[in-house]
Amino acid sequence: MAVELQPTESAIDFTLKILLLGDSGVGKTSLLTRFAHDNFDEQVASTIGVDFAVKKLSVYDKRVKLTVWDTAGQEKFRTLTTTFYRGAKGIIMVYDVSRPDTLLHLEEQWMRELELHGTEADAVRMVVANKVDVGDARRVSWHEGSDFARRHGCLFAETSAKTNIAVANAFEELVLKILETPSLLEDAGLRSGTVLLDSPQSGYGVYDYCYC
Amino acid sequence: MDSSPHDMYGFPITYQGPHQALDYQRAQNLYATQEKAWAKYAAEKRLPKSGYKLKKLIRSGIPPKLRSWVWFEVSGAKQLQSSQAGTAYYANLVRAASLSKAASQVELDLPRTFPSHPYLSCAETGQAAMRRILTSYSLHNPLVGYCQGLNFIVGVILLAVERDEERTFWLLAALVENICYQGSFGHNLSGCHVEMKTLQELVDAKMPRLGAHMKALGCDMSLIATNWFLTLYCVSMPAESACRVLDSLFYEGAKILFRVALALLKTLEPKLLQFDNPGELMKWVKDYVGGILHVGPLMEVAFDGIGKLSLKKVDAVRKDKAVEVQAFMEQRRQQRSQHSPGSSAT
């Protein structure tokens, strides 16, 4: 894939907001940590509220800044996370291959939340099957996962944050797809995500771009 | 002998630089002063009669060795316990713990509750104790059941009260049932929504520039403050610092959560105004708060540097916000029923 990690701090062509969704304990925080810091911590604490990381990529000739949001998974937290959906261009829905219920909940719970609160009709969605390192404890096959993703019009990837299988590839595939979707890039340039406080045409604050 | 540095509750400490080592030393030096101030009361096992005197004493920090006693006395936990005739109540709940519907979520969280702490990460001891407390509590208070965040509160209290499980249980009950705003840990966290909106309004009133800046960035208050209110700072700050917050929280009530939040935001305001991205702002705040090894100066701002903040004022704002939150929950409920499987989705 024509992706090069960590370009220099120079001008960014696009800032893209990515969300990680899915049940508690499926490995959202670990995927974030693996992707953003190439690290895995056996002793990760449960996320209360939200977590966040930035990762810069070069994709073809574009410099892309990903702002990746990770949220608490317990059901009662879903009311709190509605504001995080705003402006998300890519949605990664994660399940744990050793817990079939976590795949079921993507359909019953998380996709419905997305329908209700997502603001980008064309946002690219990806289903990620995490923890493929579990060996015999696996309860959801590749076929079940990929069929599910296809049925719902989502990209699909199998990953292990722990043993570093395909995590970067999954994010890169998502980004490529976003970059191929012009409607998602309309406001992903300098105008959103990053407000340049010192840029003469932008003044101060995102309200400058309200055209209504 | 442990080889790596750890704090008085056994958490490993990593200093981000020499100033942090110095900060921690400063916090340690305070304990001698606190012990002196409390010596008379500790010796006689009684609290000052004057509420004003007691508030001042507690605000300056309860010596760690006295926390178990003072917390239990001032929080209302003791009354809650005695309202359930006899000490068998907790033991009976523990016996019934297998009935808890919260058990599976508790199991998911136990290994993720302070995993770097030697006792709390030990399956046979610390985790087993937290499991008993959390599942018992879910049976005792079915409206709350279990809420992520309570695990961290229980972890810190358990250490602070010298691993007394039953006392931790009643202190948790006092916090959830009497001290924190109603519904903060309930099934849709509506109380937490109210607290976030209330904090937003207090910030807008007391720090309008910061309020406007965060609004312009689309940085909702809940992004930075959810874990402050749902773990009572127990996961946000190092444990010894969080215990200073708990000291006053137990005695003065939930307005302390706002005082500390406002003090943090006020202290950090110049820096926060420079951020142009909500996520980076949130992350920076999280890292900063996680590194507060000497909480004394922050507590001074909380008590003396943010102006008047009465419970009456907080309650008045909460009342308004509760109406908004109720409308939001109702709207959400309707939307969800319209989108139920079977109906034609968009």
Side-chain angles (χ1 to χ4, degrees):
Chain A
M1 225 175 269
V3 176
E4 173 201 333
L5 300 179
Q6 300 292 4
T8 52
E9 191 56 50
S10 58
I12 293 289
D13 294 302
F14 296 112
T15 299
L16 303 175
K17 179 175 176 181
I18 311 290
L19 283 188
L20 285 160
L21 303 177
D23 279 5
S24 190
V26 296
K28 299 180 292 296
T29 305
S30 294
L31 283 167
L32 178 71
T33 310
R34 170 62 74 189
F35 176 59
H37 312 296
D38 196 16
N39 206 345
F40 179 80
D41 190 350
E42 286 280 357
Q43 308 189 320
V44 68
S46 21
T47 307
I48 308 299
V50 284
D51 211 341
F52 173 85
V54 167
K55 179 84 173 180
K56 296 185 178 106
L57 304 169
S58 280
V59 184
Y60 298 124
D61 59 337
K62 298 289 181 231
R63 278 149 303 190
V64 179
K65 175 175 166 181
L66 298 184
T67 58
V68 189
W69 295 81
D70 166 29
T71 62
Q74 194 187 7
E75 186 166 358
K76 53 173 83 179
F77 280 76
R78 281 173 211 165
T79 58
L80 276 181
T81 49
T82 53
T83 52
F84 311 139
Y85 288 83
R86 200 182 301 140
K89 311 292 183 186
I91 317 283
I92 298 178
M93 287 171 278
V94 187
Y95 71 92
D96 170 351
V97 295
S98 67
R99 287 164 55 203
D101 57 316
T102 62
L103 174 59
L104 202 64
H105 291 162
L106 290 187
E107 184 166 37
E108 289 173 357
Q109 305 284 347
W110 293 106
M111 288 186 177
R112 291 173 62 195
E113 291 291 334
L114 191 56
E115 272 177 33
L116 286 180
H117 306 293
T119 59
E120 305 284 325
D122 299 333
V124 177
R125 299 179 303 159
M126 171 178 257
V127 171
V128 165
N130 192 37
K131 305 196 188 180
V132 295
D133 56 89
V134 295
D136 289 348
R138 187 198 261 258
R139 294 288 174 273
V140 185
S141 70
W142 182 90
H143 280 289
E144 288 170 86
S146 62
D147 279 357
F148 175 88
R150 193 173 332 108
R151 224 166 44 239
H152 291 280
C154 302
L155 302 172
F156 179 66
E158 288 207 315
T159 63
S160 164
K162 186 174 182 175
T163 57
N164 196 11
I165 298 171
V167 175
N169 284 349
F171 277 89
E172 288 156 13
E173 194 184 342
L174 183 79
V175 171
L176 285 171
K177 185 81 182 174
I178 295 172
L179 292 178
E180 288 165 7
T181 313
S183 63
L184 292 175
L185 302 177
E186 282 166 12
D187 64 347
L190 285 179
R191 288 177 171 178
S192 81
T194 307
V195 181
L196 294 182
L197 296 175
D198 56 355
S199 117
Q201 78 277 17
S202 79
Y204 177 80
V206 291
Y207 289 156
D208 291 352
Y209 303 109
C210 178
Y211 296 120
C212 51
Chain B
M1 284 288 280
D2 283 348
S3 51
S4 54
H6 54 83
D7 72 7
M8 71 177 343
Y9 290 127
F11 288 93
I13 306 184
T14 38
Y15 298 120
Q16 305 299 324
H19 66 286
Q20 279 210 316
L22 200 63
D23 266 3
Y24 188 62
Q25 196 49 53
R26 287 197 182 106
Q28 296 307 297
N29 295 343
L30 267 182
Y31 287 130
T33 322
Q34 293 170 0
E35 273 166 31
K36 218 167 147 189
W38 282 81
K40 188 172 76 166
Y41 306 103
E44 298 172 10
K45 262 292 191 198
R46 65 169 181 88
L47 295 172
K49 284 205 178 67
S50 145
Y52 179 76
K53 170 85 185 157
L54 181 57
K55 180 169 101 174
K56 285 281 168 200
L57 257 186
I58 291 177
R59 283 187 171 192
S60 66
I62 302 172
K65 281 191 204 111
L66 303 182
R67 276 195 170 119
S68 179
W69 165 54
V70 180
W71 285 0
F72 200 57
E73 290 289 329
V74 303
S75 63
K78 197 177 176 178
Q79 287 81 346
L80 282 176
Q81 185 189 38
S82 54
S83 73
Q84 297 291 345
T87 47
Y89 184 75
Y90 176 69
N92 289 339
L93 285 175
V94 169
R95 266 194 292 278
S98 61
L99 303 172
S100 170
K101 286 189 205 127
S104 61
Q105 183 68 50
V106 170
E107 284 314 309
L108 277 177
D109 282 342
L110 287 175
R112 305 191 295 160
T113 307
F114 299 121
S116 60
H117 189 281
Y119 168 74
L120 294 177
S121 65
C122 172
E124 292 81 27
T125 57
Q127 288 186 13
M130 291 193 289
R131 174 186 298 112
R132 286 188 291 268
I133 298 164
L134 290 166
T135 49
S136 300
Y137 191 75
S138 72
L139 294 175
H140 165 75
N141 186 348
L143 279 179
V144 166
Y146 168 69
C147 178
Q148 289 191 304
L150 297 182
N151 52 329
F152 294 105
I153 299 172
V154 161
V156 168
I157 294 180
L158 189 61
L159 296 172
V161 301
E162 289 147 41
R163 305 180 185 179
D164 183 332
E165 261 181 66
E166 184 172 357
R167 189 158 282 205
T168 304
F169 173 87
W170 289 111
L171 286 166
L172 177 69
L175 285 168
V176 174
E177 292 154 37
N178 299 347
I179 294 172
C180 294
Y181 182 67
Q182 55 188 348
S184 285
F185 304 93
H187 83 278
N188 56 15
L189 302 184
S190 64
C192 184
H193 281 265
V194 173
E195 296 295 65
M196 293 300 110
K197 285 172 181 288
T198 302
L199 178 60
Q200 180 79 58
E201 180 137 336
L202 296 173
V203 171
D204 289 344
K206 288 178 185 285
M207 291 165 251
R209 204 161 157 229
L210 180 63
H213 181 71
M214 287 179 62
K215 206 163 284 171
L217 293 185
C219 188
D220 202 83
M221 197 52 73
S222 65
L223 284 186
I224 55 176
T226 299
N227 73 58
W228 300 350
F229 280 67
L230 284 182
T231 72
L232 313 179
Y233 298 94
C234 287
V235 83
S236 331
M237 285 182 189
E240 286 180 59
S241 298
C243 282
R244 279 291 301 277
V245 179
L246 291 178
D247 287 345
S248 288
L249 179 68
F250 277 126
Y251 183 58
E252 294 185 54
K255 71 175 181 180
I256 295 300
L257 299 176
F258 290 103
R259 283 199 170 275
V260 173
L262 291 167
L264 279 168
L265 292 168
K266 184 169 174 166
T267 308
L268 304 181
E269 181 173 12
K271 176 75 188 176
L272 301 187
L273 289 171
Q274 293 170 21
F275 280 94
D276 56 17
N277 174 295
E280 282 161 55
L281 186 155
M282 185 274 286
K283 185 79 183 141
W284 189 85
V285 171
K286 200 173 197 173
D287 291 343
Y288 177 90
V289 178
I292 299 180
L293 290 169
H294 179 32
V295 78
L298 179 76
M299 297 311 283
E300 278 167 36
V301 178
F303 296 132
D304 301 314
I306 53 152
K308 214 171 135 42
L309 184 74
S310 67
L311 185 60
K312 211 170 147 187
K313 165 76 181 161
V314 172
D315 275 341
V317 181
R318 279 170 168 171
K319 209 173 158 189
D320 284 348
K321 300 300 166 191
V323 176
E324 286 176 28
V325 169
Q326 210 177 351
F328 164 79
M329 292 294 175
E330 180 54 29
Q331 184 196 6
R332 193 181 137 81
R333 202 183 56 76
Q334 284 177 5
Q335 284 174 336
R336 283 184 63 91
S337 60
Q338 282 160 15
H339 279 255
S340 59
S343 74
S344 57
T346 46

